[in-house]
Amino acid sequence: MDPAENEPTPMENKETDSYSMLEPRMKRVYAAFYKELYRTPERRALDPKVQELISVAVSLAVRCEGCLDGHLKKAIALGATREEISETLSISAAISAAAVVDLSDKAARRLGLRLFSTTEKQD
Amino acid sequence: MDPAENEPTPMENKETDSYSMLEPRMKRVYAAFYKELYRTPERRALDPKVQELISVAVSLAVRCEGCLDGHLKKAIALGATREEISETLSISAAISAAAVVDLSDKAARRLGLRLFSTTEKQD
Amino acid sequence: MDPAENEPTPMENKETDSYSMLEPRMKRVYAAFYKELYRTPERRALDPKVQELISVAVSLAVRCEGCLDGHLKKAIALGATREEISETLSISAAISAAAVVDLSDKAARRLGLRLFSTTEKQD
Amino acid sequence: MDPAENEPTPMENKETDSYSMLEPRMKRVYAAFYKELYRTPERRALDPKVQELISVAVSLAVRCEGCLDGHLKKAIALGATREEISETLSISAAISAAAVVDLSDKAARRLGLRLFSTTEKQD
Amino acid sequence: MDPAENEPTPMENKETDSYSMLEPRMKRVYAAFYKELYRTPERRALDPKVQELISVAVSLAVRCEGCLDGHLKKAIALGATREEISETLSISAAISAAAVVDLSDKAARRLGLRLFSTTEKQD
Amino acid sequence: MDPAENEPTPMENKETDSYSMLEPRMKRVYAAFYKELYRTPERRALDPKVQELISVAVSLAVRCEGCLDGHLKKAIALGATREEISETLSISAAISAAAVVDLSDKAARRLGLRLFSTTEKQD
């Protein structure tokens, strides 16, 4: 049995002072999105552990400490190994760096710059 | 056989004007990180398709169009279904929203604010 | 009378160790921008409370805890209701999520992908 | 009568190829959040124009071009003046800059640095 | 003579449709900040080329294409070599990745996780 | 002699619980990038102090507290003056604000909006 199915929604399992700035009506639609995404075993396409690893990677990228703690704990509870977590973290770091390189390539094209040839050898 | 194993590294399969602002010596260490992460079937912990889905989610979160196109194509080539891509995208959106809610909760704690009780009913 | 008019500029009302890395000449031009924006009742177009709610929404989106605390307190001092704060927070979260969805739509167009038809029914 | 009340939801008024990576079930919960937030005149606390200005400010801060275009057009349709848009944009820019200054102040406190006294005169 | 001294402010040298959403009064205070920062040879502490390289690095990190193009052109006009630009870009990418690793370390401390020992050998 | 040459790599000089979520094999490639970038006096193009100032500016922009503390300390150890740090911080703040203005200009062009003429006088 998938332990995630028995997990409370984000709304329920946080300390009691969570979502304290959200009106009940907004909490409801926010929770509905989360529930459809993470807690619908009958419709879900991704493995719960994979969902949690994706959540960890994005939490790191968008600097959400609360999200990171929660999804890291769930990923581990669902059996994520330390090597899987290391790769997840590494992908988040790699894409964050790649975003900078990608933007530099686009600027090079816009400006007609070609500082280094791709076949060039150096050193 | 895993199709990803036959894929070129990011360095090789991009159009010829990529990484044109990176010196060969920096390209080498950058490519080494990517190769260790994505192209080491003998050491890799995560399934290649899962790696690509995580990459798609982070590309969306950090606004990297070049990364997004590349990893989306690889994910699909590795068999990712449209439902898996939909969930990946939804997780990226959900955590991006949750980061805002999480920060508001921390502010509420710092300032001693409790605008809405978690048990309160409304409407 | 608008209480905001009697408020000190950001420069004055922070604890004494604020802006400690900014030279006086840079502080001056930085403070001038803030003063023109927030403290010119004779030229200002937006209601002070609305200015503070916009400031709260952006503080959440860019992860600025100091900004968030300051503008949240001012918004409340200017009469913002808890429902108005809840909507402000919800907009900040919604747009943060929408940014991810928008980027996925652009990628779909670039790559000629159409994973789900907009008229399709499912479930 | 408020023109916004007759506006379609984000789901309806976008070109037909929008949300093409979201499954119908995820679209539904995503649209429900948007509808509760922007299209509930009977429960909404903020003026529709103010909602759109907040949306514009956040769209700028999180780099969402599609969101920006949509909410800018709605803000103008709802009567936002050019001066109100200028202030909205200025707040988004100001808080983005303030986030950097705020982080430097926190670092100064952590490291016990006090590079410039707040009462110091210079030039 | 330093060519940067003869450069127009950002306000002057952009195509004529720039800053079209900023009121003259906000443009003035915005331009004053830029002028004090980039165009005060008598008070400036950093070399103009170094200022431009820092500007390029931050433009990449915050995804500002217009800023990137402008500051890249100025850096090159001020004599920045391709190796200096490569290092600037590499630093921007490296810190973007390091931010993810740093956040993971903080989470590990908060949660009492120690997945890998720093002295551990593997492979 | 350049003091930076005697500095440990990021891997060595952090408290012992750093990089605790990264596998040794990923740490190695990550450290190799850092070493090539910051610790190769024979190949490095930028002055070590300039490298550290660029690192400080990007750390502020991407909200990395650990990076900020480390690079700020190194910049000061390498002789960065308080005025140089003030300018570095000011550039990071200025570009963060400029990114918002740049995006508004692009939207104005896409939508054919021209709210304020660049030659217009006001007040």
Side-chain angles (χ1 to χ4, degrees):
Chain A
M1 207 196 86
D2 184 339
E5 307 321 318
N6 298 321
E7 292 275 304
T9 63
M11 237 50 22
E12 302 163 56
N13 76 344
K14 302 268 291 196
E15 53 261 23
T16 51
D17 61 352
S18 286
Y19 306 88
S20 74
M21 289 199 195
L22 269 187
E23 293 173 83
R25 69 183 182 98
M26 294 313 304
K27 264 185 220 175
R28 256 197 299 278
V29 282
Y30 183 76
F33 188 91
Y34 260 78
K35 190 173 178 188
E36 183 63 39
L37 180 55
Y38 289 107
R39 301 195 56 222
T40 56
E42 68 282 13
R43 288 188 294 275
R44 193 165 46 192
L46 292 170
D47 180 75
K49 187 184 73 179
V50 169
Q51 284 198 329
E52 295 304 327
L53 291 175
I54 297 174
S55 303
V56 164
V58 177
S59 298
L60 286 164
V62 302
R63 320 279 186 256
C64 180
E65 295 189 332
C67 314
L68 180 56
D69 291 0
H71 290 290
L72 203 41
K73 283 190 284 188
K74 282 189 192 166
I76 292 170
L78 288 163
T81 65
R82 61 183 199 166
E83 286 79 13
E84 288 173 330
I85 291 170
S86 167
E87 282 186 24
T88 297
L89 156 61
S90 298
I91 291 172
S92 192
I95 301 288
S96 298
V100 165
V101 177
D102 183 58
L103 210 62
S104 77
D105 278 328
K106 285 170 148 183
R109 280 175 221 133
R110 277 194 307 273
L111 302 179
L113 287 174
R114 184 78 178 261
L115 302 185
F116 296 96
S117 147
T118 54
T119 56
E120 185 175 350
K121 293 293 176 207
Q122 196 199 40
D123 287 14
Chain B
M1 205 195 87
D2 184 339
E5 306 321 318
N6 297 322
E7 293 273 305
T9 62
M11 235 53 18
E12 300 163 59
N13 75 344
K14 301 267 291 193
E15 53 260 25
T16 51
D17 61 351
S18 285
Y19 306 89
S20 72
M21 289 198 194
L22 271 187
E23 293 172 84
R25 68 183 184 97
M26 295 313 302
K27 265 185 219 174
R28 257 197 299 279
V29 283
Y30 183 75
F33 188 91
Y34 260 78
K35 190 174 179 187
E36 184 64 40
L37 180 55
Y38 288 107
R39 300 196 55 221
T40 56
E42 68 282 13
R43 288 189 294 276
R44 193 166 45 192
L46 292 170
D47 180 74
K49 187 184 73 179
V50 169
Q51 283 197 331
E52 295 305 327
L53 290 175
I54 296 174
S55 303
V56 164
V58 177
S59 299
L60 286 164
V62 302
R63 320 277 187 259
C64 181
E65 294 189 331
C67 315
L68 179 57
D69 291 0
H71 290 290
L72 203 43
K73 283 190 283 188
K74 283 189 192 165
I76 291 170
L78 287 163
T81 64
R82 62 184 198 165
E83 286 78 15
E84 289 172 331
I85 291 170
S86 168
E87 281 186 24
T88 297
L89 156 62
S90 299
I91 291 172
S92 192
I95 302 289
S96 298
V100 165
V101 177
D102 184 57
L103 210 63
S104 77
D105 278 328
K106 286 170 147 182
R109 281 175 220 133
R110 279 194 307 273
L111 302 179
L113 286 174
R114 184 75 178 263
L115 302 185
F116 297 95
S117 149
T118 54
T119 55
E120 184 175 351
K121 293 292 176 210
Q122 195 199 37
D123 289 13
Chain C
M1 204 196 86
D2 184 338
E5 306 321 316
N6 297 320
E7 292 274 304
T9 63
M11 237 51 20
E12 301 162 57
N13 75 344
K14 301 268 292 195
E15 53 260 24
T16 51
D17 61 352
S18 285
Y19 306 89
S20 74
M21 289 199 196
L22 270 186
E23 293 172 84
R25 68 182 183 98
M26 294 314 303
K27 265 184 218 175
R28 258 196 298 278
V29 283
Y30 183 76
F33 188 91
Y34 260 78
K35 191 174 178 188
E36 183 64 39
L37 180 56
Y38 288 107
R39 300 195 55 221
T40 56
E42 67 281 13
R43 286 188 295 276
R44 192 166 45 191
L46 292 170
D47 180 74
K49 188 185 72 179
V50 169
Q51 283 198 331
E52 294 305 327
L53 290 175
I54 297 174
S55 303
V56 164
V58 177
S59 298
L60 286 164
V62 302
R63 321 279 186 256
C64 181
E65 295 189 332
C67 314
L68 181 56
D69 291 0
H71 290 290
L72 204 42
K73 284 190 283 188
K74 282 188 192 168
I76 292 171
L78 287 162
T81 65
R82 62 183 198 166
E83 285 79 14
E84 288 172 331
I85 291 170
S86 167
E87 281 186 24
T88 297
L89 156 62
S90 298
I91 291 172
S92 192
I95 301 288
S96 298
V100 165
V101 177
D102 183 57
L103 211 62
S104 77
D105 278 329
K106 287 170 147 182
R109 281 176 220 131
R110 277 194 307 273
L111 302 179
L113 287 174
R114 184 77 178 263
L115 303 185
F116 297 95
S117 147
T118 54
T119 55
E120 184 175 352
K121 294 290 177 210
Q122 196 198 38
D123 284 15
Chain D
M1 206 195 86
D2 183 338
E5 306 321 319
N6 297 321
E7 292 274 304
T9 63
M11 239 46 26
E12 301 163 58
N13 75 344
K14 301 268 290 194
E15 52 260 23
T16 51
D17 61 352
S18 286
Y19 306 89
S20 73
M21 288 199 196
L22 270 186
E23 293 172 84
R25 69 184 183 97
M26 294 314 302
K27 266 185 217 174
R28 258 196 298 278
V29 282
Y30 183 76
F33 188 91
Y34 260 77
K35 190 174 179 188
E36 183 64 39
L37 180 55
Y38 289 107
R39 299 195 57 220
T40 55
E42 68 281 13
R43 287 190 294 276
R44 193 166 44 193
L46 292 170
D47 180 74
K49 188 185 73 179
V50 169
Q51 283 197 331
E52 294 304 328
L53 290 175
I54 296 174
S55 302
V56 165
V58 177
S59 298
L60 287 164
V62 302
R63 319 278 186 257
C64 180
E65 294 189 332
C67 315
L68 180 55
D69 291 0
H71 290 290
L72 203 43
K73 283 190 283 186
K74 282 189 192 166
I76 292 171
L78 288 163
T81 65
R82 61 183 199 166
E83 285 79 15
E84 289 172 331
I85 291 170
S86 167
E87 281 186 24
T88 297
L89 156 62
S90 298
I91 290 172
S92 192
I95 301 288
S96 297
V100 165
V101 177
D102 184 58
L103 210 62
S104 77
D105 279 328
K106 287 171 147 181
R109 281 175 220 130
R110 278 195 307 273
L111 302 179
L113 287 174
R114 183 77 178 263
L115 302 185
F116 297 96
S117 149
T118 54
T119 55
E120 183 175 352
K121 293 291 176 209
Q122 196 200 36
D123 288 12
Chain E
M1 208 195 85
D2 185 337
E5 307 320 319
N6 296 321
E7 292 274 306
T9 62
M11 238 47 24
E12 299 162 57
N13 76 343
K14 301 268 292 195
E15 52 261 21
T16 51
D17 61 351
S18 286
Y19 306 90
S20 73
M21 288 199 196
L22 270 187
E23 292 172 84
R25 69 184 183 96
M26 295 313 303
K27 266 185 217 174
R28 257 197 298 280
V29 283
Y30 184 75
F33 188 91
Y34 260 78
K35 191 174 179 188
E36 184 64 40
L37 180 55
Y38 288 107
R39 300 194 56 219
T40 57
E42 68 282 12
R43 288 189 294 276
R44 193 166 44 192
L46 292 170
D47 180 72
K49 187 184 73 179
V50 169
Q51 283 198 331
E52 294 304 328
L53 290 174
I54 297 174
S55 302
V56 164
V58 177
S59 298
L60 286 164
V62 302
R63 319 278 186 258
C64 182
E65 294 189 331
C67 315
L68 180 56
D69 291 0
H71 290 290
L72 204 42
K73 283 190 283 188
K74 283 189 192 166
I76 291 170
L78 288 163
T81 65
R82 61 183 199 166
E83 285 78 15
E84 288 172 331
I85 291 169
S86 168
E87 281 186 23
T88 297
L89 157 62
S90 299
I91 290 172
S92 192
I95 301 288
S96 298
V100 165
V101 177
D102 183 57
L103 210 63
S104 77
D105 278 329
K106 286 169 146 183
R109 282 177 218 127
R110 277 195 307 273
L111 302 179
L113 287 174
R114 184 75 178 264
L115 302 185
F116 297 95
S117 148
T118 55
T119 54
E120 183 175 352
K121 294 291 176 211
Q122 195 198 39
D123 290 13
Chain F
M1 203 195 86
D2 185 338
E5 307 321 317
N6 297 320
E7 292 274 305
T9 63
M11 239 47 23
E12 302 163 57
N13 75 345
K14 302 268 292 195
E15 52 262 23
T16 51
D17 61 353
S18 286
Y19 307 88
S20 73
M21 289 199 196
L22 270 186
E23 292 172 84
R25 69 182 183 98
M26 294 315 303
K27 266 185 218 173
R28 258 196 298 279
V29 283
Y30 183 75
F33 188 91
Y34 260 77
K35 190 174 179 187
E36 184 64 40
L37 180 55
Y38 288 107
R39 299 196 55 220
T40 55
E42 67 283 13
R43 287 188 296 275
R44 192 165 45 192
L46 292 170
D47 181 74
K49 187 184 73 179
V50 169
Q51 283 197 330
E52 294 303 329
L53 291 175
I54 296 174
S55 303
V56 165
V58 177
S59 298
L60 286 164
V62 302
R63 320 276 186 259
C64 181
E65 295 189 331
C67 315
L68 180 56
D69 290 0
H71 290 290
L72 203 42
K73 283 190 283 188
K74 282 189 192 165
I76 292 170
L78 288 162
T81 65
R82 61 183 197 164
E83 285 80 13
E84 289 172 330
I85 291 169
S86 167
E87 281 186 23
T88 297
L89 157 61
S90 297
I91 290 172
S92 193
I95 301 288
S96 298
V100 165
V101 177
D102 183 58
L103 210 62
S104 77
D105 278 329
K106 286 170 147 183
R109 280 176 220 131
R110 278 195 306 274
L111 302 179
L113 286 174
R114 186 75 178 265
L115 303 185
F116 297 95
S117 148
T118 54
T119 55
E120 185 175 351
K121 293 291 177 210
Q122 194 199 41
D123 287 14

